[in-house]
Amino acid sequence: MLKNNNGAVITRMAKRSLVSNKRRNGIMILAIALSAFMLFTILTVGGTWMQMQRVQNIRLNGGDFDAFLYGGFTEEQRKTCEQNPNIAQIGTEGFAAWAVSTEYDSTLHSTFIWSDETMWNTIKEPAMNEVKGSYPKKDNEVMTTQEALKDCGFEGLDVGDSFTVTYYDNNGDHTKEFTISGIWDGYGDKKVFYVSKSFFDQSGFTLEDPGRGFLYLKLNARIVTQKTLDALEQSLQLGKKQRFLLTSEVANSVQILLGLLGLIFVICVSAYLLIYNILYLSVSGNVRYYGLLQTIGMTEKQVYRLVQKQMLLIGAVGIAIGLLVGVVTSFGLIPTVVKTLGIRENDIHISFHPVIFLLTLLIAVLTIYVGSRKPAKMATAVTPIEALGYRSKARKRLSRKTGNGSLLWRMAREQMGRDKKKTVIVVAALGICLSFFLCMVTLVQSQGPRTIVSDYMDGDMIISNDTMQMETKDKWKPLIDDSFLKELRQNQGISEVHPIVNAQIVVPWEPDFADYWMREFYDMWMEDDYDQEDYQQHPEKYCSFLVGIDKQEFECLNATLEQPIDEANFLAGNTCILFMDWLELDKEKMIGKPISFYLDGQKDQVFQMTIQGGTADTYYANMLGTTPTMIVSDSFVKGIVENPYMSKVRVKYQEEYDAATERDILHMIDASPYHEDFNHESKLEALEEVKQAQGNMMGIGVGIAFVLAFIGMMNYLNASVGNIQSRQVELSVMESIGMTGKQVRWLLIREGLLYAGASLGVVLTIGLGVTYVLYQSMNYRDVPFVVPILPIAAAALLIALLCAVIPLAAYHSMQRKGSIVERIRGFE
């Protein structure tokens, strides 16, 4: 056959096909528009979600920094940071004093801190909601919060008011009147009085002193390799008392990036499968038409070009519509929602990003091109004679066996196997989208406020006796006693009460572990040198404490140890666990070593235990001494001390986050004559703080998950409708030979359930594995991997229902077109 130069005709035919085949082309345009819209919106909203997560981390950290140097710093170390090209900003803070007492309270928790201009105006600013007044310039001025004022008993004071407080610095105790130069509100530690540089200079502390100087670093890049971080740490030449600490976000930035790339890949594959599936069904169903065109002079190459031009025109219209709707949704609806939920405009920037636009456009164009190549080749491969009787069918089977079981189930299974490629595409598309739903729901749940504020003991409130932080025992008060515990246990909203009992002890010098501990402790925390001779002669000057815990708390603590210890020996008082106090001790010099001690003032009765473990959990750091703090069984403490003091009690409610029970406990504390000496940590209050820090991050994350699930269902919807249309004659013939409409409907339901089952199989195997890998790559909070059962079960039931209902709806639409005979004749 001679080739005709009919390129202009092909272009006109492609354009006319948009008008002549409105229904088919409308479905294809809708599919492409939907994919472009979903891809653009998900990438935009996903970027918003990541930005919200970053805002959450800034708020939880109390500032926008990536690393900080703890333990004091030298001027040389600061200059090293200033010369490092990877560091954008450097903020400085200096610890100046502790608040000791006021006329209202003698157990304060607030501190006096100096921040330099960069730290206050740049690094801390993103974590602030409101600032009234100005930062202090005089040594009698403070910038404060209402929480710090409340801690001192001065709640309600405002800018310009004055108050008097006794504080302790390196020069001793002082009582001074301060004027409030400013008040701020926001996130981070709010029991702080920010002071002037002159106040810090008079405190007797320097920035080089351990625990007094802090250097906060903001890096240039969001993604930082471990090699860069290691090089930065090495350049600082840290001393033994110094610690270079990274925020979780920057420490895991590379693996978070890899996880995000994995999620983006899944999104792109989902969009590809949606477009490809519809193009394949549409073009393959029109093969007969393309074959007949060859009878009027078209060559195979020209038919191929016709299909490509049709797809180009349809794709251009679909992509334009999808991007337009995506832009309106992303930049119109999302900012409105974000602002309505109280997040400031400078926290979340929803703006046009060329990369997202180009990525969406590129993926859609490539998908249309790749998706139309195989169907176009199939159309050109059909000769004009074959096209006259063309039917899309599966590969012929040489033999056929009669199966066992339900006939309808066998027919449903055979139908899935007739066009294996199409079946694989539909199952893969639905499975991938459901897997992404699983992944997003799991990630969102891991970042949920309830997960972030939970601890391994799962307590709802910790009540502490602040008087036991005082240095001398004669100032201790038995705030938490048996009557207090009894009142707690009588509250029907409380399920568990776990007190910690304490006793002051003396650990005498021994050449083995005691001497090793003291050397490490002094190197880490003390400015003076370790005086071994003084410790040997006067061990009572180096006191410490027993921390007695009950059986349930021991079980929780033991589960966190690298090497769990024997429960019976611990409860019997033969072994102990040490609070490590940030010390990095050699396990061979600690585990299995004996430690001796006696009660303060009772030198004649010496006890000995074997050290079996260590913990860094600061829950046991309420009372610290110089020698080791020993965690032991509470029954042992009660056996050697009559009516021991209780430093704190952990309370667990019958229902987690029970506000009514919490109010009862707070009322009970307020009713005490020593209410100002109590302190409490509430999981419910922490939950509210995290919710405020997160804004609408969780809602947007869940929205992304459901959008991807919707893409999967659209994939199945289009495949199912196309499948019913292509089987119109087959289903009509089956009805004509005696198959009832009810049987046809049951057959379609079974087919849908098989698709749903196969897709869920993909989710529970490949999808679960991919979810675990992506989850761990982004799990910088070390939250245990837990599959959210309820959302997944609900999604599975919904998928099964929709997979069964959609084919029925398509069949019902087909029935409305006419009788069986009309349907068979209409197809021809």
Side-chain angles (χ1 to χ4, degrees), residues 14-15 17-19 21-37 274-275 278-279 282 310-323 325 364 368 714 718:
K15 292 179 179 179
S17 67
L18 287 176
V19 179
N21 299 312
K22 293 181 180 179
R23 183 174 180 180
R24 184 192 309 115
N25 293 332
I27 294 175
M28 295 173 64
I29 290 174
L30 178 62
I32 295 172
L34 180 64
S35 295
F37 162 72
L274 177 58
I275 297 175
I278 295 175
L279 293 181
S282 177
Q310 287 176 329
M311 294 303 103
L312 178 62
L313 292 173
I314 292 172
V317 175
I319 292 173
I321 294 174
L323 289 177
V325 177
I368 294 170
M714 285 300 300
N718 285 283

Side-chain angles (χ1 to χ4, degrees), residues 607-649:
F607 303 91
Q608 189 177 77
M609 289 185 176
T610 302
I611 303 169
Q612 289 295 339
T615 179
D617 192 337
T618 55
Y619 175 67
Y620 307 101
N622 191 49
M623 305 173 64
L624 292 177
T626 307
T627 51
T629 296
M630 302 170 58
I631 304 171
V632 300
S633 167
D634 63 346
S635 59
F636 173 80
V637 177
K638 293 175 182 178
I640 64 174
V641 179
E642 185 177 359
N643 298 322
Y645 279 89
M646 300 181 194
S647 59
K648 61 177 61 175
V649 56

Side-chain angles (χ1 to χ4, degrees), residues 94-96 112-116 134-143 176 178 181 193-203:
F95 182 90
F112 292 82
I113 302 290
W114 164 70
S115 288
D116 70 357
S134 59
Y135 194 86
K137 296 180 179 179
K138 301 178 181 179
D139 57 12
N140 67 331
E141 293 180 337
V142 294
M143 167 69 73
K176 191 171 186 175
F178 291 92
S181 65
F193 295 107
Y194 286 97
V195 296
S196 64
K197 182 64 164 60
S198 61
F199 182 93
F200 175 76
D201 293 338
Q202 297 174 17
S203 68

Side-chain angles (χ1 to χ4, degrees), residues 152-199:
C152 297
F154 301 117
E155 186 176 9
L157 296 184
D158 206 341
V159 176
D161 294 334
S162 299
F163 63 91
T164 301
V165 63
T166 299
Y167 63 90
Y168 179 86
D169 61 17
N170 200 37
N171 298 317
D173 292 340
H174 310 272
T175 300
K176 191 171 186 175
E177 183 180 60
F178 291 92
T179 300
I180 301 174
S181 65
I183 295 179
W184 70 277
D185 187 26
Y187 302 88
D189 185 5
K190 294 196 281 189
K191 291 185 178 180
V192 175
F193 295 107
Y194 286 97
V195 296
S196 64
K197 182 64 164 60
S198 61
F199 182 93

Side-chain angles (χ1 to χ4, degrees), residues 662-699:
E662 184 144 315
R663 284 195 298 270
D664 291 342
I665 297 176
L666 295 178
H667 289 158
M668 188 177 76
I669 292 175
D670 291 338
S672 170
Y674 308 106
H675 62 272
E676 70 277 1
D677 295 323
F678 280 100
N679 186 37
H680 74 276
E681 299 175 26
S682 165
K683 193 162 70 171
L684 180 60
E685 293 176 359
L687 177 72
E688 294 303 319
E689 291 178 2
V690 173
K691 282 183 178 180
Q692 292 178 8
Q694 288 185 337
N696 197 37
M697 189 180 78
M698 295 299 102

Side-chain angles (χ1 to χ4, degrees), residues 61 65-70 87 215-219 224-233 236 238 243-253 582 780:
N61 292 333
F65 58 90
D66 297 311
F68 66 98
L69 184 59
Y70 175 85
I87 299 176
L215 206 60
Y216 293 84
L217 309 177
K218 176 64 178 176
L219 304 180
V224 187
T225 63
Q226 189 60 45
K227 182 179 179 180
T228 301
L229 295 173
D230 291 341
L232 173 58
E233 183 174 358
L236 293 175
L238 302 178
R243 292 292 183 272
F244 182 67
L245 304 176
L246 303 170
T247 62
S248 298
E249 189 176 12
V250 73
N252 300 276
S253 60
W582 284 43
Y780 57 88

Side-chain angles (χ1 to χ4, degrees), residues 454-473:
S454 294
D455 61 12
Y456 65 85
M457 295 188 194
D458 206 23
D460 287 277
M461 178 180 283
I462 298 173
I463 306 170
S464 302
N465 179 355
D466 279 351
T467 66
M468 295 187 67
Q469 296 181 8
M470 297 183 178
E471 295 182 0
T472 56
K473 291 175 61 176

